[in-house]
Amino acid sequence: MVFHFKLPDIGEGVVEGEIIKWLVSDGDSVREDQPLVEVMTDKATVEIPSPVAGKIHKRHGQEGTMVSVGAVLVEIETGNSSPSQQSETIEKVTPAHPRLPRHEMDVLATPAVRRLARERGIDLTQIKGTGPGGRITMEDLNSHRAEPKKQRVSEQTKTRSERQEELVPYRGRRRKIGERMSESKSTAPHYTYVEEVDVTELSRVRSIYNEMSGARLTYLPFIVKAVIEGLRKYPLLNSSLDEDNGVIRVKYYYNIGIATATEDGLLVPVIKNADQKSILELAKEIARLSEAAKEGKIKVEELKGSTFTITSLGSLGGLMATPIINYPEVAILGLHKIAPRPVVRDNQVVIREMMNISLSLDHRVIDGAIAAQFVAHLRTFLENPGLLALGPL
């Protein structure tokens, strides 16, 4: 009997997914719940498990192609003679922990580590993990691959010197990021407003707190709090343009997206109702979402619903940039490195901790004057962090 397994519903509003990597081949024997294929949706990558045990009769779709929800994904010979199972499908797949293959069931490792291990043909049971609880980290995987070091380095150098170009598939998250960036740039006329901010006092407050608490509080929760005060004062920046209905949707709830670099590309985890959280609560939520994104554990719902986005490269942030709007939002704030610079204060040159910010906006919705006023308001809170404890101005 051939079981026709259809691509299941893999998230609210998801109608199709891209085949990233087949984990089985035609003719392979599979057990129930064994991962068959990696599929990427708009927001997350999931491993689709087999609902039955049997032998792979035929796979449908090449890596890099799109498959609609409800379309046949793979045919499996089951030996089951019940005709009612021909078009059976599982109802929902969640992008949490991927199902683990056979002998690796007891190995602690993130989905990203497991995926890379499969690509390299590495048996994770042969690696001793150095992470918490013996978890195998990316460093453990790279160290395992690096042996024997001298011979491998020479072989790689020779290979790279002989080839003149390399073809890297443009698919998966990289293609999805490209599509979203292209949509944003082609739809919204961008312009960028740049300003410098004196964060000396903010740096001092942060340092005092870290010394007294032993914590590692970053600048980001303070900046999120200041951004919210700016959005309260100038709500047009917390909106989206609904051209179909001819309205600008101004939002009075504050879901702040934090652009996060991961091994699989850029993700934007969202702090929901950020205005209802304290600076310390924001810090905990930022850390939780960032870790989940980097370890491949982020949930689909944690990547949706942002109203305004912040992007930062931390100490690598450079002097300025022109961030691309996280469409359909109308603004995105880019943060740049904080460094001591000479500035003029009271007609004297002094050294202050300075940071540049770059605000990209959709000129269909936000005029330059509003952008300047928003940045000035934001700057006031960042240069006087004590105001953040007092509420809206």
Side-chain angles (χ1 to χ4, degrees):
M1 190 71 184
V2 176
F3 179 97
H4 293 79
F5 178 44
K6 299 176 181 179
L7 180 63
D9 175 11
I10 48 181
E12 182 180 354
V14 174
V15 298
E16 63 180 3
E18 180 183 347
I19 296 176
I20 301 302
K21 184 179 180 63
W22 280 105
L23 306 177
V24 294
S25 301
D26 290 351
D28 284 358
S29 294
V30 296
R31 72 182 189 287
E32 185 176 349
D33 279 340
Q34 179 178 336
L36 299 176
V37 62
E38 289 183 4
V39 175
M40 171 176 282
T41 69
D42 286 341
K43 292 292 187 178
T45 299
V46 299
E47 285 185 349
I48 306 295
S50 176
V52 295
K55 179 183 290 186
I56 301 299
H57 177 67
K58 183 180 180 180
R59 302 176 305 175
H60 289 259
Q62 303 284 333
E63 292 179 355
T65 59
M66 304 298 295
V67 180
S68 300
V69 170
V72 175
L73 187 62
V74 63
E75 298 174 24
I76 306 172
E77 295 179 0
T78 65
N80 190 327
S81 59
S82 172
S84 64
Q85 289 197 8
Q86 284 190 353
S87 59
E88 183 180 348
T89 183
I90 59 175
E91 293 184 356
K92 189 175 177 105
V93 174
T94 56
H97 296 285
R99 277 76 173 176
L100 307 181
R102 299 168 188 170
H103 60 289
E104 296 181 4
M105 290 292 288
D106 297 325
V107 174
L108 292 177
T110 67
V113 168
R114 294 183 186 280
R115 183 163 54 248
L116 186 57
R118 280 198 303 270
E119 293 173 356
R120 294 178 175 179
I122 297 176
D123 183 352
L124 289 178
T125 62
Q126 302 303 310
I127 301 178
K128 181 176 176 58
T130 61
R135 186 179 68 188
I136 297 174
T137 66
M138 197 62 70
E139 290 74 18
D140 297 331
L141 193 64
N142 290 332
S143 297
H144 180 83
R145 182 169 174 77
E147 299 173 356
K149 186 173 182 180
K150 291 184 179 179
Q151 180 181 355
R152 186 151 300 178
V153 168
S154 63
E155 290 175 353
Q156 290 177 346
T157 302
K158 180 180 178 180
T159 303
R160 289 173 181 167
S161 64
E162 290 176 350
R163 64 188 182 191
Q164 295 188 5
E165 62 179 43
E166 178 183 3
L167 300 180
V168 178
Y170 181 57
R171 61 188 186 214
R173 180 157 291 144
R174 177 49 52 198
R175 185 167 77 177
K176 187 63 64 178
I177 291 171
E179 290 172 354
R180 290 180 62 83
M181 294 295 183
S182 296
E183 178 188 21
S184 179
K185 286 292 285 186
S186 63
T187 304
H190 284 53
Y191 74 99
T192 302
Y193 184 90
V194 180
E195 181 60 284
E196 63 176 4
V197 180
D198 185 341
V199 293
T200 304
E201 182 63 17
L202 175 57
S203 179
R204 187 183 71 84
V205 170
R206 170 181 166 271
S207 296
I208 291 174
Y209 177 82
N210 286 349
E211 289 175 6
M212 293 181 66
S213 66
R216 290 178 57 88
L217 193 62
T218 69
Y219 291 96
L220 196 49
F222 293 96
I223 295 171
V224 170
K225 201 72 172 175
V227 162
I228 292 170
E229 296 305 330
L231 296 178
R232 280 182 170 138
K233 182 77 171 179
Y234 300 96
L236 206 54
L237 277 83
N238 199 50
S239 70
S240 60
L241 177 59
D242 184 347
E243 290 188 278
D244 292 339
N245 293 297
V247 296
I248 298 172
R249 298 186 179 277
V250 181
K251 288 127 188 204
Y252 292 96
Y253 54 93
Y254 305 93
N255 295 341
I256 307 300
I258 305 294
T260 304
T262 73
E263 293 177 353
D264 292 331
L266 190 67
L267 291 178
V268 184
V270 181
I271 307 171
K272 302 292 177 62
N273 300 312
D275 58 310
Q276 299 174 21
K277 294 177 171 60
S278 68
I279 289 176
L280 293 181
E281 289 171 337
L282 287 171
K284 291 179 181 178
E285 184 69 352
I286 291 169
R288 184 188 70 81
L289 290 170
S290 177
E291 182 178 3
K294 291 176 180 178
E295 294 189 351
K297 299 177 181 178
I298 195 79
K299 299 177 182 177
V300 173
E301 57 267 27
E302 294 174 327
L303 297 168
K304 292 181 177 180
S306 59
T307 60
F308 185 95
T309 296
I310 299 173
T311 181
S312 171
L313 286 176
S315 60
L316 299 176
L319 292 177
M320 69 159 287
T322 53
I324 297 177
I325 296 167
N326 187 19
Y327 189 79
E329 297 167 21
V330 298
I332 182 172
L333 181 69
L335 307 176
H336 305 288
K337 65 181 180 182
I338 296 174
R341 296 205 298 258
V343 296
V344 177
R345 294 288 184 269
D346 299 324
N347 294 321
Q348 292 187 353
V349 176
V350 295
I351 302 299
R352 306 287 288 180
E353 293 289 321
M354 304 297 294
M355 174 182 70
N356 288 0
I357 57 176
S358 301
L359 182 69
S360 288
L361 306 111
D362 185 340
H363 219 325
R364 298 173 302 173
V365 179
I366 311 295
D367 292 331
I370 298 297
Q373 291 167 359
F374 170 84
V375 169
H377 197 71
L378 172 63
R379 182 181 177 182
T380 296
F381 279 92
L382 292 178
E383 294 188 345
N384 303 277
L387 294 175
L388 294 174
L390 302 178
L393 290 181

